[in-house]
Amino acid sequence: MDQVAQPSVKDLQKSFIYHLQHTLVKDKYSATKADMYLALAYAVRDLLATRWLDTQQSYYLKDAKRVYYISMEFLMGRTLGNALINLGVMEEWDMALKELGLSIEELQEVEWDAGLGNGGLGRLAACFLDSMASMQLPAYGYGIRYEYGMFYQKIVDGGQHEVPDNWLRYQNPWEFDRQEHLHPIRFEGRVVEFTDRDGSKRFSWVDYYEVMALAYDFPVPGYKNNTVNTMRLWSAKASRDFDLNFFNQGNYIGSVESKMKTENISKVLYPADHMLEGKELRLRQEYFLASATVQDILYRFAKKHDNLTELPDQVAIQLNDTHPVLAIPELMRILIDERKLTWEAAWEITTKTFAYTNHTILQEALEKWPVPMVSRLLPRHLLIIFEINRRFLEEVASRFPGDTARLQRMSIIDDSGEKQVRMAHLAIVASHSINGVSALHSEILKDDLFHDFYEVWPERFNNKTNGITQRRWLKHCNPYLADLISEAIGDKWTTDLDELQNLRPLAEDSEFRRRWMDIKRMNKQRLADHIYQRNCIQISPDSLFDCQTKRIHEYKRQLLNILQVVARYNRLKEYPGLELPPRTVIFGGKAAPSYSAAKLIIKLINSVGSVINNDPAVNQQLKVAFLANYSVSLAEKIFPAADLSEQISTAGTEASGTGNMKYALNGALTIGTLDGANIEIMEEVGKDNIFIFGLTTPQAVGLRSSGYRPQDYYYQLPELKTVLDQISSGMFSPGNPGLFRPLVDNLLNSDYYLLLADFDAYMDAQADVDRLYMIPDEWARKSILNTAGMGKFSSDRTIGEYARDIWGIKPQPVEHKGIHHW
Ligand code: 26W
């Protein structure tokens, strides 16, 4: 409980004006909107500061076990709105600013997103931080402070253009550099072996060069609970020695050049997900994060403990996919080479401390690094990995005598071609817990991808179905719906999402349905205005808003969606009186800059859109809009306005999905396959309240292995044939008729993701959607039942399971003492 009185509206105004005048040295005449935003941010920051100090102090005093969530990505979005919500001062600030003639919504729009992530994995990390703080768990997020986040996407001539995201160009009021938390990170050099005084064989890493990791701390406020956790991001700094060496050689420009090269490590986020690019700089980034974080963890541990065997009682480390997995050999190296522990003692500590989450089963996304590259960059770590592997294979060999094929399959080193380190195998061998992110995905890990490992250590495998934070993804982004819900069932859902069940009876209440849909319409109008401003496309808030927003990838099948749009267009053209509800098909998502098929799909969506939107024969019934630069803040505008959520990946490919949860939480109905968390969403909202279609995972696997022939569908389904012929003959690219042919050729000759096999079932499911939308009362009922069924998908539930099953940590309530004295 808060012992400190909440500030009054007058206090808030005073603080705002104070910061405008003293921190920014502006007055109401000279201040820009950006200044106003900053003044507000600084004033809100003040409310976090003492809570932050209290939280960190209390963890130290209680010597609580901490969890460290290490991730190469944190897709945080904006901080201000989230801080206002979690501090519980949104309404007070709204009033305070209104009296000064300012709009809090407008000021929030000034903030640039912190886009330090690609998509699902990075946003999950951000939701987890919110839940950990809201559940009062002693937790830290550790990542990299990229100078350039996810690129800014522009659409030029229908195609994607990437613009650097210089997010730190303006002052960032949410970060604090901690010059005292500086760790040296070593690279390259060589390893020498020697015998120490007690006659033991030892290794020493020499001739390396050093880069410094500089800490920047970001506050992570819990929801109305005085907890403020820390996200610590590392930035690369050239070490001073390094500078001086060059300087002493009289090579001033050379010294500045190599300083720049060194500091490149934290320059930019790699924008490809689901595809390993194999660049050396990426491996440097991964080690930079791993090493700085492990050093920091040991430093904090050492403040209260000197016996390293206690580390697993004080520390849990969660690896967000394999990207930070070098933390494992790094901890081993420090324990053995620097702290002089035996291999066995170090190994026991390591395996008890680490846990690994897998986020994808796509082969091309599994990290493998060439042995020669690892050897050059991290010679000591490679030896440690070899030794881990040697001992591991010895164990496997004794469990499965004579099974050499198994040894090859399980080895951490893949020597089928150029030797490579399989990072997932390293993570599994050294972790006490391995989890997938939905029930289906976790089964696939056990039955298929990691089956060999499951046979050796079944007890290590578990599931943690993903979740999302309802504070950002309902309360903040959809305030009117949130208020209606609270008015009806109270506001406990903000910290216990299962409370939403109590909405179920209200689905039968016609007055409640009316208010529910009025809010949806308002949100749609707001999005329509936004789209008109950005895309110059006029759309009706009475049309069905059909949304697919996520990274562009073949497995997610945006192409299947656009095939369906073209088929719909053809039907409308052929039967002008056709009674279909008007639809607006909305797309958003970035393609990896190197992923040419994904970029061509974006171009196709826009090309189809410009034909349809400009065809007066249909454009009252069908429109297509591609919203540029899909990001957290844009998503916050789309979810509340969606009627239909497209979750149509090929069964067995989407590990979980989390956008699916955000849409349903905001009352959209899902059209989707039995993939990832869609299955669990169906279980929660009921089969009658979701549009499920298509192949199941076993069917998809079976079809591929029995010799899938996509052309059979092409010849059997006349509508499909027409659509594919139109696209490949240039109907949507008259100036360049062959432009989209590669997409069609790929569908006809390979179609790995089985679009043609699912086309017919998808069309049928879309027809069901149309029929239901024509009965507004039934649609509204199901919309309410979707929100009502989303309790399970709070990231609070997910984090509760991690804390209990994997980390062994407990809530540590924080007492807020207010202004600090000596
Ligand atoms: C090395 C390149 C790279 C970068 C990122 C490969 C793979 C990734 C991520 C693991 C991809 C990712 O974001 N996966 C998504 O993780 C979400 C959170 O668990 C899931 O909901 C999505 O289904 C999954 O695609």
Side-chain angles (χ1 to χ4, degrees), residues 508-523:
E508 312 307 325
D509 176 335
S510 62
E511 172 61 10
F512 189 77
R513 284 199 299 267
R514 188 188 60 72
R515 294 178 69 190
W516 187 269
M517 294 314 288
D518 279 353
I519 290 167
K520 180 63 80 182
R521 193 174 187 288
M522 233 169 50
N523 292 334

Side-chain angles (χ1 to χ4, degrees), residues 658-684:
T658 45
N660 47 1
M661 303 167 186
K662 293 165 198 166
Y663 277 111
L665 181 63
N666 284 278
L669 275 60
T670 302
I671 182 166
T673 48
L674 288 171
D675 200 16
N678 297 351
I679 297 174
E680 290 158 81
I681 292 176
M682 174 187 75
E683 289 166 3
E684 297 300 308

Side-chain angles (χ1 to χ4, degrees), residues 73 118-122 124 270 272-277 282 286 320-321 323 357-360 364-367 437 466 555-556 653-659:
E73 306 187 10
N118 271 283
L121 163 130
L124 184 75
Y270 274 87
D273 69 339
H274 300 102
M275 272 186 289
L276 181 64
E277 289 206 81
R282 165 78 180 193
E286 293 186 357
N320 199 19
D321 216 281
H323 316 155
T357 307
N358 172 280
H359 295 269
T360 179
E364 64 271 28
L366 297 179
E367 285 194 294
V437 291
N466 283 166
Y555 85 82
K556 296 177 187 279
T653 62
E654 188 69 272
S656 161
T658 45

Side-chain angles (χ1 to χ4, degrees), residues 521-543 545 584 586 627 637 641:
R521 193 174 187 288
M522 233 169 50
N523 292 334
K524 288 167 76 173
Q525 181 66 61
R526 181 166 162 253
L527 183 62
D529 294 344
H530 183 85
I531 293 175
Y532 185 67
Q533 278 173 20
R534 302 289 174 101
N535 297 39
C536 290
I537 304 173
Q538 261 186 338
I539 61 183
S540 159
D542 295 316
S543 62
F545 280 23
T584 303
I586 294 169
L627 304 194
K637 298 185 172 71

Side-chain angles (χ1 to χ4, degrees), residues 726-773:
Q726 287 169 330
I727 294 173
S728 85
S729 67
M731 175 169 154
F732 302 103
S733 52
N736 182 0
L739 181 61
F740 300 120
R741 199 161 299 146
L743 293 175
V744 176
D745 286 346
N746 180 274
L747 291 179
L748 291 176
N749 298 312
S750 133
D751 192 19
Y752 183 77
Y753 293 109
L754 308 173
L755 279 69
L756 303 199
D758 270 344
F759 178 79
D760 206 32
Y762 182 48
M763 290 294 291
D764 287 348
Q766 289 289 11
D768 291 342
V769 170
D770 289 325
R771 272 189 291 276
L772 188 73
Y773 200 71

